[in-house]
Amino acid sequence: MRSLTVLSSLLLTSALYGSAQAAQVPPLAEHLPAGALMTFETRNAGSLIARVGKLVGAVALGETEGAGALTGMVGSVLGQDATVGVFTVTGARGTFAPALLAVARPNAEGRKLLAAMMPKKKGAKVGVYPFVRSEDDLFIGQAEGVAYASTDKSLLMAYLSRLSGKDAPRLLNSEAYTTPMRSVGGQEARMFVNFSAAAKVARSALAEWHVPRLLSPVVDALDTLGQWAGGMSTTVQGWSTVSAHLPNPQGRDRPLYALLTPTTTFRVQELIPADAEAVQASACHPGAGSYLGRWLTRVDLLDPLGFLTDTQLASHLERSGQYLGGECAQVTLAGGTRAGLNMSDPGASLGYTVWYQRVEDLDAARAHLPEFARSVNAALGALPGTLRGMASGAGSAVSAGGKSRLPGAAAGAMAEGLGELDAVLKNLKFSYGFRGDYLIVGLSDAAVQKVLKEGGEGLLGSADFRAANLSMTGGGWQYARNLPDLTEKDMASMMSGADEEADMMMEMFGDVYADVLNRYDGMSAQRTVSALPSGHLILTKSRVKFRW
């Protein structure tokens, strides 16, 4: 009996030691070389892959059984530990070029699957890690429980040498990578994007193409975005996400940096109707209108409808910066979510959307808005005629010689698309009003009038909103409430009449689609902006309630 007890203790100790050893295996991402433009990493992501795969199967296939085999296959390769990265390598004439690297620690089933796909030929080796060149010009291999592939031989060898223990520069030692990723923390899936590094590659490419000045504002903006990281994990209650953004304080687009980092104390929640379905509130920089106006001026010549010129939108946006304050909110009113599912009327949701913005100078706002509204509405009124002319031209598309300039199907599709846009535009009207020291605008006069008359405590009167426990100080917040469940009949009435294919899909899978939508029970998110010695950290945390 004593020997059995000792044996059991030894077995338990061995199992615990093995688990501890497995937990101590460093993630494959720790061996990545420096110079990543982007990475996507998974760690113990089996639950995420299975849950998302089941959801995608329900939406795309109308059932979950068929997706099970595929998600099982993906999970066997990517579920334990995997990383895909885009890196910069030196190309011809010293320019930078992107290259792909993928590494994974598949389970036994995944290793067997990948082994069957490996080319049977001699190749090269780095330490104990062999690799060969595939027919698709990929460098691939598998050894020591790790599978790896790359579009660039030198990049793969650099990774394998670090995996073998070589001391060389690693992404893990880069502050640009570690600061946002540390803020994101351990997640089932994580992503890192280095916009500043991408800007360097873009500048190199533009210099080679001899067009550096033409697109330099775009590259400057990209550089100023700095670095961003995000992560996602699932639970039985839904999923949570975290994102960390580090804008580049040395970027040349200084106005963009200022737009990314404002904070405020929110009061707009006191005005928003308690039955609003979704709210996205943000701290706004007063210079946002001027900044957007400058970009619209740059693309004015590319506007085929002449809308930007007719409305003088850039000029009006710049002028609005003289009186608008630092608090903005986009609100979906009651009924907006269902309207958004109405496939026979793509613009229906605009009739349920309004925007709030704090006003610092009411007199200046009241003096400017009538002119702004007249300009926009005159341009909106002229657009249907312009579109009908374009649709007519696309429908005929016939040259003097009688030959069609466009294939019949393409001309018909273009005419149909322009006709649908015409139908949306004719119902739009730029409307506005003031409530307290807030400007409220919308593309539906009925929606604007509704919120102008709204009384009570606003969102504070909603128990669901109060339960979200959101801070009203910081960079912003987001809230969407749980909506009444949809029935299969509801789905059919909203989505019928769009086209025959949509009607057929609803007949086959309407109950499945309704079930998936009804599993969503609302969400909330909070954005904070913190000052760092080297700039600012924008941290956003969200929680989505979903019944898997």
Side-chain angles (χ1 to χ4, degrees), residues 15-338:
L16 291 173
Y17 177 76
S19 299
Q21 287 293 98
Q24 292 172 8
V25 174
L28 294 171
E30 290 193 7
H31 306 290
L32 292 173
L37 300 177
M38 182 186 77
T39 68
F40 178 77
E41 308 166 18
T42 61
R43 181 82 166 165
N44 300 321
S47 296
L48 182 148
I49 293 171
R51 285 167 173 157
V52 173
K54 184 178 179 182
L55 178 62
V56 171
V59 174
L61 306 175
E63 49 87 23
T64 57
E65 303 269 337
L70 179 59
T71 54
M73 195 183 308
V74 173
S76 70
V77 177
L78 305 180
Q80 291 188 139
D81 182 8
T83 296
V84 178
V86 179
F87 291 78
T88 51
V89 297
T90 304
R93 297 190 296 276
T95 57
F96 295 111
L100 187 72
L101 172 70
V103 294
R105 203 184 300 278
N107 62 21
E109 183 183 342
R111 291 194 297 272
K112 183 178 178 181
L113 175 68
L114 293 176
M117 300 167 62
M118 292 288 174
K120 310 299 181 187
K121 60 180 180 180
K122 288 187 77 174
K125 202 173 190 182
V126 177
V128 296
Y129 299 101
F131 65 90
V132 297
R133 187 170 192 160
S134 72
E135 294 180 359
D136 300 322
D137 278 340
L138 286 175
F139 298 91
I140 59 176
Q142 182 174 228
E144 302 296 312
V146 179
Y148 35 88
S150 179
T151 57
D152 183 83
K153 181 180 178 181
S154 298
L155 176 61
L156 180 61
M157 293 178 69
Y159 179 82
L160 295 178
S161 66
R162 287 162 176 77
L163 188 60
S164 301
K166 181 181 178 180
D167 186 16
R170 299 172 186 244
L171 185 63
L172 189 66
N173 299 328
S174 165
E175 186 178 346
Y177 172 83
T178 56
T179 301
M181 288 298 252
R182 192 183 300 121
S183 299
V184 167
Q187 305 285 339
E188 291 179 311
R190 305 196 305 174
M191 187 174 184
F192 166 74
V193 182
N194 192 335
F195 294 105
S196 294
K200 291 180 181 178
V201 176
R203 281 201 180 98
S204 173
L206 292 174
E208 186 180 2
W209 298 337
H210 304 292
V211 286
R213 291 185 180 178
L214 183 64
L215 297 175
S216 60
V218 178
V219 179
D220 291 344
L222 191 65
D223 182 25
T224 305
L225 289 175
Q227 292 81 34
W228 178 90
M232 173 182 175
S233 291
T234 59
T235 66
V236 291
Q237 290 85 22
W239 69 83
S240 61
T241 65
V242 181
S243 72
H245 186 190
L246 283 170
N248 178 13
Q250 279 76 47
R252 296 178 186 174
D253 195 339
R254 298 298 303 165
L256 175 59
Y257 187 89
L259 262 59
L260 293 170
T261 54
T263 60
T264 192
T265 297
F266 291 91
R267 291 184 287 112
V268 70
Q269 67 279 3
E270 299 170 10
L271 303 181
I272 296 171
D275 62 353
E277 294 182 350
V279 181
Q280 185 171 347
S282 303
C284 300
H285 192 278
S290 298
Y291 183 79
L292 179 56
R294 286 195 294 275
W295 277 103
L296 292 177
T297 300
R298 290 184 178 116
V299 301
D300 196 351
L301 294 176
L302 304 178
D303 176 15
L305 302 176
F307 183 78
L308 297 178
T309 301
D310 294 344
T311 58
Q312 293 295 297
L313 188 58
S315 174
H316 284 299
L317 287 172
E318 188 168 354
R319 188 174 166 187
S320 68
Q322 299 172 9
Y323 56 79
L324 291 177
E327 186 182 353
C328 310
Q330 177 179 316
V331 180
T332 301
L333 302 175
T337 304
R338 289 198 176 209

